[in-house]
């Protein structure tokens, strides 16, 4: 078989000609090659948080009656995060919180996270299974603020995804409301006067990559 020659210098340094197999090492491994970075299943590989602190005003599409996983009637909120997976087969756990208002005070409003890779949009693994003509989403609520245009609502959602890629992945938050000619506001109320009683918030999406 192959052999490895070791030379020990006076200062204690070791030089090897060949391949050295070891179960551990002490000190910096910056110049080592062939080191496995495998971690056991359940280990966190990375975490990335995308924060959006803009004050967006979004006109929703006139056609809002989306069914299943359709993107019809959905609009992008500007809330997103991008990361490159450490491993191809890992699982992503995703959490998002959005502050919003709308010009319509009495209709259901829905949110969903979608995966985008190379400009193509995909449904996340954690989206509910299609159920008849119902609109699949990650969170939904009734926007009702007693007629005031100076209030903000907050909603949070959690899901998971298995992108099965090592290319950069972007998660984007979309919104849909059961009414045409509606404007949705992100991080700001409908009335956005420069006054101390008007709130201005921030929205986010967090992704944790976990080894499988």
């Amino acid at each position: 078989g192959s052999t490895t020659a070791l030379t020990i210098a006076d200062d204690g340094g070791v030089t090897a000609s060949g391949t050295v197999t070891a179960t551990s090492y002490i000190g910096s491994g910056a110049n080592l090659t062939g080191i496995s970075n495998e971690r056991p299943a359940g280990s966190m590989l990375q975490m990335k948080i995308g924060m959006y602190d803009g004050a967006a005003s979004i006109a929703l599409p006139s056609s809002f009656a989306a069914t299943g996983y359709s993107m019809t009637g959905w609009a992008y909120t500007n809330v997103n995060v991008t990361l490159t997976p450490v491993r191809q087969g890992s699982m992503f756990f995703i959490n998002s919180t959005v502050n919003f208002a709308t010009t319509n005070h009495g209709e259901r409003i829905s949110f969903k996270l979608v995966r985008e890779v190379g400009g193509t949009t995909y449904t996340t693994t954690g989206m509910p299974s299609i159920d008849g003509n119902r609109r699949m989403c990650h969170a939904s609520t009734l926007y009702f603020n007693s007629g005031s245009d100076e209030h903000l609502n907050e909603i949070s959602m959690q899901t998971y995804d298995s992108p099965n890629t090592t290319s950069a992945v972007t998660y984007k938050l979309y919104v849909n409301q059961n009414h045409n000619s509606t404007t949705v506001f992100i991080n700001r109320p409908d009335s956005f006067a420069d006054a101390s009683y008007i709130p201005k918030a921030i929205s986010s999406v967090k992704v944790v990559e976990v080894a499988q």
Side-chain angles (χ1 to χ4, degrees), residues 113-184:
L113 289 151
V114 302
R115 179 201 328 139
E116 187 176 285
V117 180
T120 302
T121 298
Y122 301 90
T123 298
T124 59
T125 308
M127 180 67 78
S129 300
I130 291 179
D131 186 2
N133 291 317
R134 296 173 178 87
R135 178 184 308 155
M136 300 298 104
C137 63
H138 288 117
S140 185
T141 188
L142 177 65
Y143 180 73
F144 183 72
N145 61 5
S146 301
S148 172
D149 291 330
E150 299 170 354
H151 293 173
L152 269 176
N153 280 21
E154 179 190 84
I155 194 168
S156 296
M157 64 212 79
Q158 297 184 43
T159 187
Y160 66 92
D161 192 33
S162 300
N164 195 31
T165 183
T166 53
S167 299
V169 177
T170 299
Y171 289 98
K172 294 183 175 181
L173 183 65
Y174 279 75
V175 61
N176 184 309
Q177 192 172 24
N178 283 14
H179 193 272
N180 55 19
S181 302
T182 295
T183 299
V184 172

Side-chain angles (χ1 to χ4, degrees), residues 21-176:
T21 301
T23 57
S24 63
Y25 59 88
I26 298 174
S28 173
N31 295 320
L32 297 177
T33 59
I35 303 298
S36 173
N37 65 354
E38 290 297 314
R39 298 183 186 179
S43 299
M44 187 178 79
L45 300 178
Q46 65 171 319
M47 180 179 70
K48 188 73 175 291
I49 302 176
M51 309 292 291
Y52 177 67
D53 65 354
S57 175
I58 303 165
L60 296 185
S62 58
S63 178
F64 61 89
T67 62
Y69 300 147
S70 170
M71 294 298 292
T72 300
W74 293 87
Y76 175 42
T77 64
N78 296 307
V79 181
N80 74 88
V81 65
T82 299
L83 73 165
T84 300
V86 174
R87 293 189 195 172
Q88 182 162 339
S90 55
M91 180 79 75
F92 286 6
F93 292 92
I94 311 163
N95 178 280
S96 183
T97 298
V98 59
N99 287 276
F100 69 94
T102 171
T103 53
N104 186 287
H105 295 175
E107 288 289 349
R108 292 172 299 281
I109 188 167
S110 303
F111 294 89
K112 69 176 178 181
L113 289 151
V114 302
R115 179 201 328 139
E116 187 176 285
V117 180
T120 302
T121 298
Y122 301 90
T123 298
T124 59
T125 308
M127 180 67 78
S129 300
I130 291 179
D131 186 2
N133 291 317
R134 296 173 178 87
R135 178 184 308 155
M136 300 298 104
C137 63
H138 288 117
S140 185
T141 188
L142 177 65
Y143 180 73
F144 183 72
N145 61 5
S146 301
S148 172
D149 291 330
E150 299 170 354
H151 293 173
L152 269 176
N153 280 21
E154 179 190 84
I155 194 168
S156 296
M157 64 212 79
Q158 297 184 43
T159 187
Y160 66 92
D161 192 33
S162 300
N164 195 31
T165 183
T166 53
S167 299
V169 177
T170 299
Y171 289 98
K172 294 183 175 181
L173 183 65
Y174 279 75
V175 61
N176 184 309

